[in-house]
Amino acid sequence: MERTYQFIRIARHGDHIGTIQLNRPEVLNALNLATMDELVDAFTTYDADPAIRCIVIYGNEKAFAAGADITEMAEADSVEMLLRDQFRKWDTIRRVKTPIVAAVSGYALGGGCELAMLCDMIVASETARFGQPEIKIGVMPGAGGTQRLTRAVGKALAMEMVLTGRMISAYEALRAGLVNKVVPVEVYLDEALALADEVASMPPIAARLAKESVLRAFDTTLEIGLEYERKNFYLLFSTEDAHEGMKAFLEKRQPKWQGQ
Ligand code: DAK
């Protein structure tokens, strides 16, 4: 039986996909400390389960997540923020090896936008709105917004969003390269699950190492990144799935992945 949480819901979709739904609709899924704890627990549990080959995280039609819970930050000082050590949780999610798809409808703001950007791909509904409005409440992005947004959309748009708090529409996000696709709101979750199904139909070790290698492109030189890619490439030749994949191609049949 699936574990139950207070602020998120988890479920299986088919044999290989684990879903996480943010479930604080009354506050637009604001990410309070307890929600972050639950997210870390759910992501870590899925990541340790060899049956799970892709994770899908979503909110509801009105909001993916409208940011960190402002009520929990309004009175906090620097020392308290430091002692809360929230970055440990964000770092844990960042290190999840299983591919993650975010299905975003409605608001993805502040920490909500940062959470979506921590995922590997984003499927957006036509009603999705992305923004880093922290400056409007006197602070700035703190969970990767200035870095991942800039890498995704470039300096001009990132600077504008971070300095003015302007939200961008789903189509602007698509043009800027922040999201993978934009689809009608009625089907955004189905489309995200279909994308996850496609990822889950791939050999899982190759998918994990490929994810790791793409992410490496963001924090290293080309030389070191290429070295890293090569090592992962060689490593895959010692998996049964690589031999099965090539054999199946030559025998003109579908491969059967073992995840080994
Ligand atoms: N926190 C707490 N409550 C929120 C909230 C939030 N971020 N966003 C919305 N709500 C609550 C509203 O207060 C309201 O509650 P009630 O008044 O009904 O009790 C309810 O959700 C519905 O919101 P609205 O009535 O405002 O709904 P509207 O449709 O009129 O407006 C809105 C939607 C999204 C434009 C508006 O709610 C809004 O501007 N929300 C705040 C967006 C925002 O500023 N987000 C950035 C927050 S700062 C960190 C990592 C990350 C972060 C910080 C630290 N560490 C690792 C240390 C991230 C910081 C942030 O995200």
Side-chain angles (χ1 to χ4, degrees):
M1 213 182 64
E2 297 290 7
R3 208 172 294 198
T4 52
Y5 296 99
Q6 192 180 352
F7 299 121
I8 63 172
R9 289 187 186 147
I10 59 165
R12 301 272 166 139
H13 166 83
D15 291 335
H16 299 304
I17 296 179
T19 66
I20 301 176
Q21 181 180 25
L22 296 160
N23 189 32
R24 294 185 80 208
E26 66 289 356
V27 286
L28 306 181
N29 292 330
L31 302 165
N32 60 355
L33 301 176
T35 301
M36 289 307 299
D37 285 334
E38 294 187 358
L39 279 179
V40 166
D41 191 75
F43 273 118
T44 318
T45 306
Y46 280 147
D47 207 28
D49 182 344
I52 297 296
R53 299 181 183 174
C54 193
I55 301 168
V56 175
I57 179 167
Y58 63 106
N60 55 55
E61 285 187 12
K62 181 149 192 218
F64 175 73
D69 193 321
I70 298 170
T71 59
E72 287 184 342
M73 298 189 296
E75 303 291 326
D77 61 22
S78 306
V79 174
E80 191 177 338
M81 289 299 280
L82 191 140
L83 292 176
R84 280 181 191 173
D85 197 16
Q86 284 295 295
F87 293 110
R88 190 172 37 82
K89 297 176 193 169
W90 290 80
D91 285 343
T92 306
I93 299 173
R94 175 163 71 88
R95 294 204 179 90
V96 168
K97 295 193 181 310
T98 311
I100 309 170
V101 176
V104 175
S105 182
Y107 297 111
L109 304 177
C113 187
E114 289 169 317
L115 179 60
M117 289 191 294
L118 263 189
C119 300
D120 303 307
M121 291 183 277
I122 302 177
V123 173
S125 87
E126 286 172 334
T127 61
R129 302 185 77 189
F130 297 85
Q132 297 290 162
E134 291 90 338
I135 197 146
K136 292 184 172 176
I137 56 168
V139 285
M140 59 174 277
T146 64
Q147 302 304 300
R148 286 197 185 89
L149 186 65
T150 308
R151 283 166 162 81
V153 307
K155 177 186 163 190
L157 182 56
M159 202 60 102
E160 181 185 336
M161 289 171 71
V162 168
L163 291 181
T164 70
R166 178 170 82 82
M167 293 184 223
I168 60 171
S169 70
Y171 285 109
E172 195 172 355
L174 183 67
R175 283 195 299 276
L178 183 61
V179 306
N180 292 75
K181 58 169 100 176
V182 178
V183 296
V185 65
E186 299 77 26
V187 296
Y188 82 99
L189 185 54
D190 289 340
E191 288 282 338
L193 290 169
L195 180 59
D197 276 332
E198 217 178 317
V199 174
S201 73
M202 299 298 152
I205 299 179
R208 283 183 170 215
L209 294 185
K211 164 176 171 161
E212 219 176 88
S213 301
V214 172
L215 289 178
R216 191 45 65 105
F218 290 101
D219 59 16
T220 190
T221 61
L222 182 60
E223 192 64 30
I224 295 174
L226 288 172
E227 277 295 315
Y228 192 81
E229 179 189 79
R230 263 165 228 175
K231 296 227 162 86
N232 279 344
F233 176 74
Y234 286 140
L235 189 58
L236 286 172
F237 279 79
S238 59
T239 62
E240 286 173 23
D241 284 345
H243 297 116
E244 162 65 6
M246 288 183 247
K247 210 159 147 238
F249 175 81
L250 296 173
E251 291 169 1
K252 301 192 186 309
R253 61 171 174 83
Q254 287 300 313
K256 288 196 191 69
W257 308 127
Q258 304 295 330
Q260 290 183 11

